[in-house]
Amino acid sequence: MQQLYLKRDIELPEDVTITLKDNVVTAEGAKGKLTRDFSDFDVELKKTKTKVNVKAYFINKKKKAKALALVGYIQNMIKGVTEGYIYKSKIVYSHFPITVEPDNKKKTVAIKNLYGGRKQINVPIIGEETTVKVEKDDVIIEGIDKQAVGQTTANMQEACRLRGKRRKDPETFLDGVWRWDRN
């Protein structure tokens, strides 16, 4: 049976300003400003003083999933501009010490000496406000956009994935940069 109506309300904190224009949502807070286009979502967005109303009509499973995902995206934007996101990764090696060198101006992270290799691996930093810093054996990825911070962390982890002859024995070769904490 098809559901006719879905409505969700998102509470707005006092220190966050949300503007809506043609399903383009802009959230502005203490940490910065995020803009996202939701024009491909078949929903109706309205803003009151303290809430954002998300409404979808004549929905099936796919429309319901998209509408609830949109609610999650807006909540992530609100949390990002107020608190921000921090993902922590650990540099793990057994024999060859790995060097991780972030360059926030060029938006790349250089991973050197992975498995004793001479080739440098360059990983892009996604997002304008995303920054990467290294403290001893920890790599800290910070930013206000949850998707950009998560994708940067995933790209670093994927760059260290086992390939070639080491692919078959992941228990012996644990070297890499692996995520261990997120806030």
Side-chain angles (χ1 to χ4, degrees):
M1 187 171 139
Q2 190 173 12
Q3 188 176 353
L4 295 176
Y5 182 76
L6 176 75
K7 179 183 177 190
R8 293 288 190 270
D9 293 331
I10 303 167
E11 296 288 329
L12 294 178
E14 293 178 8
D15 56 341
V16 175
T17 305
I18 296 275
T19 57
L20 301 172
K21 185 176 182 183
D22 298 329
N23 282 358
V24 175
V25 178
T26 304
E28 196 167 350
K31 294 262 183 178
K33 181 178 179 181
L34 284 173
T35 302
R36 183 145 182 182
D37 185 11
F38 295 111
S39 59
D40 58 333
F41 289 75
D42 190 21
V43 295
E44 179 182 308
L45 294 170
K46 286 188 180 177
K47 180 186 175 271
T48 62
K49 289 184 179 180
T50 60
K51 294 181 183 180
V52 173
N53 299 324
V54 179
K55 294 180 187 178
Y57 298 99
F58 303 110
I59 62 171
N60 53 18
K61 281 184 178 181
K62 288 184 180 181
K63 283 186 181 179
K64 183 176 182 179
K66 279 185 111 175
L68 295 178
L70 182 135
V71 171
Y73 290 144
I74 294 174
Q75 289 172 342
N76 288 341
M77 288 171 70
I78 291 169
K79 183 180 176 190
V81 296
T82 55
E83 301 170 22
Y85 290 97
I86 300 172
Y87 281 30
K88 296 179 183 176
S89 296
K90 185 67 87 175
I91 301 171
V92 179
Y93 57 89
S94 59
H95 186 268
F96 300 106
I98 300 172
T99 306
V100 177
E101 297 175 352
D103 187 358
N104 289 314
K105 290 182 182 176
K106 292 183 180 178
K107 292 294 185 188
T108 60
V109 177
I111 301 172
K112 298 178 181 177
N113 204 30
L114 182 65
Y115 300 115
R118 295 175 189 224
K119 198 171 192 183
Q120 171 178 310
I121 301 170
N122 291 320
V123 179
I125 297 175
I126 310 296
E128 296 172 7
E129 294 89 11
T130 306
T131 59
V132 178
K133 61 184 175 183
V134 177
E135 295 178 357
K136 293 186 182 180
D137 282 347
D138 290 332
V139 179
I140 299 168
I141 302 102
E142 296 180 285
I144 60 174
D145 188 1
K146 183 176 184 178
Q147 290 175 323
V149 172
Q151 190 61 52
T152 302
T153 306
N155 288 346
M156 284 196 316
Q157 194 163 325
E158 177 64 22
C160 297
R161 197 183 83 189
L162 295 170
R163 290 176 177 80
K165 65 182 179 184
R166 295 180 181 98
R167 167 178 52 95
K168 296 180 182 174
D169 198 6
E171 291 156 3
T172 304
F173 301 100
L174 295 174
D175 295 7
V177 181
W178 311 109
R179 182 182 62 85
W180 65 274
D181 188 24
R182 69 176 182 213
N183 291 335

